[in-house]
Amino acid sequence: MKALLPNGRGRFFGVTFLSAIAAGALIGVPAVASASPGDVVDSGASVSRFVTSEPAASTAGGATNAASCLAGVSPHLVRLTGSDEDPVQNPVLLVHGWLSTAMPESEAGPRPVTTSTGIANSPFSRPVEWSSGGDPAVDLRSLQERLSELPDTSVFAFDYSSVAALWVGHTATAPALAGAIECLAEASGDTVDIVAHSMGGLALRYALGGSNEGVASHVGQVITVATPNEGSEVASVVSVLGDATESLFSSASVIAQIALPAIVGICNREMESDARVGCDIPPSVRTVFAVAGDGGQALRAGSAELSSVPEWPSSLNVHAIAGDYRIHLTAGLVPPEIFTALRDAAGVFGLDLAPALDQVFEAGDGIVEVTSATADADSSFIARCEVTVDLTTTVGSADFGDLTERFGGIPPLAGPCAHDRLFENDDVARDIVATLGASRG
């Protein structure tokens, strides 16, 4: 349970009270059946079509006709600007993360929009809402829109959402991504700039490492956003909470003991077969269940899977973006007006009284710590948000209501520096566009 407590530097490991309690209560039993690596590769067979695409043919005018190449990797390489007949110029490739998709919400899964697919729609196409300070953004254009306005730029997305619940090192995702990069490079005659979110950054490291290391010569600027290079402490905490709550379920009815692990196991197997299905449960519950699955276990800090992730090729320039919530929690054992009187009285004797709780927690983006998101990068940009929560008010309750109204939830899992909301932060969108512009001269 140490991971739940701040260390000497005040780190909170990105865990909120609500996420910790919900995760521990829902998972219960940490051991859940998951697909073997062989099964995983089979489940990603449709994605492997990337590596069988035919080379693009050149036209007499010297321009590359990308149609045959793009047709070979469709539908997982999605063109977001222009048409298939247009030339590919200065390509930018967007790679989504765990339990996500590169497709907008209306195309996020095999089910109608009116039912929950249980998977997050493209973070790249969401309108920008805030600046890091929490103020409403002036420029509401999504990152995807801003990239499409760069001169002579073709924007693409790599979508592996059907296997996005699995660990990227166990699927055909990496070779498929490598094939997509080679396709875009050949079609454009230029290097490919890549923006990868969360586990998409780890997928990219696999795609550029090992037997695929030659692919790095086709890559220009790499930008990772909230990539857990050293894992996620939240995933580790959920595992601890699962162990701690196992005794709770052991004292429950026999039906409860059997039903909960069975539901979690069935849900994970369904998501491992096609993550877009989502078990028809709310996304927050789906994520908690998925932490017990293949991808979730691999994302835990110190896992064997993380230790096998290839290093970035030395030829690349990697720019990392991280969310950094600084949450100032204060609380007193007495109402504020009484504490003020006591502090003034103590001052007469040269004493300095402090509230019972006066601590700043470094919560990262709520899922990934700053050190993990920026590890092994050549440069970085930190989107920092400072939030103060006074747990002692005149009525003895916390002021979470204001935060929920302001950010649509309680930080660090909501607001401009949260893991799944970073692309809605104007500072992040501006940094990505500026970094790509600088890399192109």
Side-chain angles (χ1 to χ4, degrees):
M1 298 297 289
K2 291 182 179 178
L4 289 175
L5 303 175
N7 62 16
R9 294 172 291 173
R11 298 215 167 173
F12 194 47
F13 295 127
V15 182
T16 63
F17 304 114
L18 295 180
S19 63
I21 293 172
L26 287 170
I27 288 185
V29 179
V32 176
S34 61
S36 66
D39 294 332
V40 171
V41 171
D42 289 342
S43 70
S46 61
V47 184
S48 64
R49 286 179 291 173
F50 280 97
V51 296
T52 62
S53 60
E54 295 295 325
S58 297
T59 63
T64 302
N65 179 4
S68 61
C69 175
L70 299 181
V73 298
S74 177
H76 302 288
L77 182 62
V78 183
R79 185 160 193 165
L80 301 177
T81 58
S83 65
D84 289 346
E85 290 72 31
D86 293 333
V88 179
Q89 299 175 290
N90 297 311
V92 175
L93 181 61
L94 308 177
V95 185
H96 66 82
W98 190 50
L99 291 176
S100 184
T101 176
M103 305 299 291
E105 189 169 2
S106 61
E107 303 175 42
R111 300 186 179 182
V113 190
T114 52
T115 58
S116 172
T117 61
I119 196 166
N121 66 306
S122 170
F124 311 108
S125 63
R126 297 174 191 165
V128 169
E129 291 191 33
W130 306 282
S131 65
S132 291
D135 298 321
V138 176
D139 187 349
L140 304 182
R141 293 174 304 154
S142 68
L143 175 67
Q144 182 175 314
E145 290 176 300
R146 300 183 192 199
L147 293 177
S148 68
E149 294 175 2
L150 292 174
D152 302 321
T153 298
S154 303
V155 184
F156 290 81
F158 175 82
D159 189 88
Y160 62 101
S161 54
S162 63
V163 292
L166 301 167
W167 175 242
V168 287
H170 288 172
T171 69
T173 299
L177 178 55
I181 293 169
E182 290 181 317
C183 168
L184 291 177
E186 188 171 5
S188 65
D190 204 344
T191 55
V192 182
D193 293 329
I194 303 175
V195 180
H197 180 227
S198 192
M199 196 163 72
L202 300 180
L204 182 59
R205 289 177 64 160
Y206 273 109
L208 302 179
S211 60
N212 301 322
E213 59 184 12
V215 180
S217 63
H218 300 302
V219 177
Q221 177 67 56
V222 171
I223 300 176
T224 63
V225 181
T227 291
N229 296 286
E230 297 178 345
S232 167
E233 291 291 348
V234 169
S236 301
V237 169
V238 168
S239 175
V240 173
L241 288 172
D243 293 337
T245 56
E246 184 173 2
S247 59
L248 173 64
F249 289 99
S250 66
S251 61
S253 67
V254 174
I255 294 179
Q257 293 181 48
I258 296 174
L260 184 67
I263 292 171
V264 175
I266 292 171
C267 181
N268 269 310
R269 285 192 292 274
E270 188 173 338
M271 286 192 290
E272 287 167 355
S273 175
D274 188 344
R276 296 169 299 178
V277 173
C279 308
D280 283 332
I281 56 178
S284 57
V285 179
R286 168 218 67 201
T287 302
V288 171
F289 280 14
V291 170
D294 176 86
Q297 293 186 51
L299 285 172
R300 296 170 185 173
S303 72
E305 288 84 355
L306 280 170
S307 65
S308 67
V309 176
E311 299 289 335
W312 290 113
S314 59
S315 60
L316 292 184
N317 182 278
V318 179
H319 180 69
I321 296 177
D324 182 22
Y325 263 116
R326 300 293 177 92
I327 300 180
H328 184 196
L329 289 181
T330 61
L333 297 178
V334 296
E337 61 273 15
I338 297 179
F339 171 76
T340 299
L342 291 175
R343 183 181 58 190
D344 293 343
V348 176
F349 301 96
L351 301 177
D352 183 19
L353 292 184
L357 175 64
D358 188 0
Q359 180 71 56
V360 176
F361 296 106
E362 298 178 22
D365 63 19
I367 301 294
V368 179
E369 286 191 292
V370 172
T371 52
S372 181
T374 58
D376 306 320
D378 298 293
S379 60
S380 62
F381 173 77
I382 311 300
R384 179 166 295 168
C385 299
E386 298 184 357
V387 176
T388 298
V389 178
D390 185 359
L391 299 177
T392 305
T393 68
T394 54
V395 294
S397 62
D399 58 355
F400 288 124
D402 292 340
L403 290 175
T404 301
E405 182 177 352
R406 182 181 176 191
F407 294 140
I410 299 176
L413 294 185
C417 292
H419 184 83
D420 288 327
R421 311 299 293 275
L422 282 169
F423 291 102
E424 299 168 50
N425 185 324
D426 185 57
D427 298 327
V428 170
R430 288 177 182 274
D431 181 72
I432 292 173
V433 173
T435 300
L436 291 180
S439 70
R440 297 178 178 186

